[in-house]
Amino acid sequence: MSAGTARPAEYSPETPILEIVAGSVRFPGAPGLALQDVSISMQRSRKWAVVGESGSGKSTLMRALLGLLPLQAGSVRWFGRDLAGIPATELRSLRSRVQPVFQDPIASFDPRFNNRRILEEPLIIHGWKDEKKRLERCAEVLEQVGLDAGALDAHPRKMSGGQRQRLAIARAMMLSPEVLIADEPTAALDLSVQGQILSLLLDLHERTGLTLVFISHDLPLVSQLCDQVAVLYAGRLVECGPASEVFFRPLHPYTRDLLDASGGPLPDASSASLPGPSPSGCPYASRCTRREDACGNWSPVLHDAGPVRVACRRVPLDFSPDL
Ligand code: SF4
């Protein structure tokens, strides 16, 4: 690029690498929105946690961020560009830079493929014709994720759960992505193996500057991993900001309740024992211990409260944690 040429927005360090702007998702036949007016901007090399109980919209947000779900309103932007405006051929190549890791790796592998074919597949799709170079890349990434080269000839069904998740992370890393979005990647693993997979993700982040988005219902786990947090309830963003604030000085009553419950299993929003979201006013009003009458008429809107954004009318607009 010659001197003085305007740099594309995606090369500006200030441009969020991944963004959802006023994003809403409705599933066909569903009465309400699965995601409602959610805006999150993620800067490069940050480690994000998206947390909330089962049914809060975490996985829907993941799929929206990956461009796998049509939005009813709003936009998703990668590297500063609205996905809706990117031609399909270009989007295909851009997908190598934003990769998912799913909770159940087996379900995301083609059952006909052995490990070598699983790892080579993204390279083949993206035009790596030289077999020797493909094998070199496989060996390099296997080493990065702590699997030995002998694993290439194995089949994922013969591996342990932890090894399979390492393989899934290896596949996601084959094309050197800049963003990794992991949906509950440790939920199906034993406690000791969970720690190993977390360490692996942190190590990859340190080595490559990867932006991590970690979707989880396990707050103690993500508090060790992430520097930014987004809290979802009933498809809405209720609190968002630095992990040091959200985990240690939570402002929204739902975030507080989640943290109080995080020593044990988090509530399941679909459970019959819990009241559902309030149909009008603040959606958390039906469960909130700080509820006031006015909450039933209040349309939730996120506002700044120090370094955090929060959607609760009882958190003062001029709130500062230092006051
Ligand atoms: S707005 Fe009212 S009901 Fe909603 S979270 Fe805040 S205090 Fe609770």
Side-chain angles (χ1 to χ4, degrees):
M1 185 179 296
S2 62
T5 305
R7 287 158 72 88
E10 67 174 283
Y11 293 118
S12 159
E14 290 80 35
T15 303
I17 198 165
L18 189 65
E19 204 172 13
I20 182 165
V21 182
S24 294
V25 171
R26 182 187 296 277
F27 292 118
L33 292 165
L35 210 61
Q36 187 164 350
D37 198 22
V38 170
S39 296
I40 308 173
S41 292
M42 299 177 178
Q43 299 293 337
R44 283 161 202 268
S45 300
R46 291 297 179 93
K47 294 170 288 180
W48 273 88
V50 176
V51 300
E53 63 202 15
S54 174
S56 61
K58 303 186 299 295
S59 296
T60 304
L61 175 61
M62 174 191 182
R63 290 167 64 201
L65 286 172
L66 286 165
L68 301 176
L69 277 179
L71 297 183
Q72 168 154 321
S75 60
V76 169
R77 298 177 190 169
W78 291 357
F79 315 102
R81 299 177 62 191
D82 187 338
L83 290 193
I86 301 176
T89 47
E90 197 186 343
L91 186 57
R92 211 184 89 195
S93 113
L94 217 50
R95 284 197 180 283
S96 65
R97 299 168 63 182
V98 180
Q99 286 287 303
V101 174
F102 295 102
Q103 179 178 342
D104 178 6
I106 277 288
S108 66
F109 296 148
D110 187 321
R112 297 166 302 167
F113 291 171
N114 68 1
N115 293 351
R116 172 175 169 175
R117 185 62 202 272
I118 286 168
L119 295 181
E120 283 191 294
E121 188 74 357
L123 302 179
I124 292 168
I125 290 171
H126 284 84
W128 286 48
K129 293 196 168 58
D130 186 327
E131 185 181 357
K132 184 162 169 278
K133 288 212 166 90
R134 290 201 305 267
L135 281 177
E136 282 170 4
R137 180 64 185 154
C138 289
E140 186 180 32
V141 176
L142 282 177
E143 193 268 329
Q144 272 187 347
V145 304
L147 290 172
D148 66 55
L152 268 189
D153 297 322
H155 192 281
R157 291 202 180 275
K158 304 272 185 202
M159 301 170 91
S160 69
Q163 287 173 327
R164 280 202 288 263
Q165 201 51 285
R166 285 177 191 274
L167 184 72
I169 293 168
R171 183 182 58 178
M173 294 300 295
M174 289 304 286
L175 291 161
S176 306
E178 288 153 77
V179 182
L180 204 63
I181 306 181
D183 188 5
E184 306 265 14
T186 61
L189 303 175
D190 294 343
L191 214 54
S192 60
V193 184
Q194 286 183 5
Q196 293 168 16
I197 297 297
L198 277 193
S199 299
L200 169 60
L201 289 170
L202 282 175
D203 182 52
L204 291 173
H205 167 81
E206 290 295 322
R207 285 204 221 180
T208 65
L210 195 63
T211 302
L212 271 180
V213 184
F214 197 90
I215 290 167
S216 181
H217 68 284
D218 190 332
L219 271 67
L221 192 89
V222 294
S223 68
Q224 302 166 34
L225 179 81
C226 295
D227 50 42
Q228 302 289 316
V229 187
V231 183
L232 288 180
Y233 174 73
R236 290 172 182 268
L237 188 60
V238 298
E239 188 161 357
C240 186
S244 53
E245 295 293 331
V246 176
F247 283 135
F248 298 104
R249 282 188 282 198
L251 295 178
H252 197 282
Y254 176 61
T255 313
R256 294 181 192 191
D257 290 347
L258 275 184
L259 286 164
D260 286 347
S262 64
L266 287 182
D268 179 344
S270 61
S271 160
S273 63
L274 284 175
S278 301
S280 60
C282 172
Y284 198 55
S286 54
R287 284 167 56 182
C288 183
T289 52
R290 302 192 69 213
R291 179 186 196 281
E292 295 175 327
D293 286 348
C295 299
N297 299 315
W298 184 71
S299 295
V301 57
L302 281 169
H303 60 265
D304 291 339
V308 173
R309 289 185 298 145
V310 63
C312 171
R313 59 170 283 282
R314 294 201 62 188
V315 176
L317 293 180
D318 58 355
F319 176 89
S320 165
D322 299 324
L323 291 177

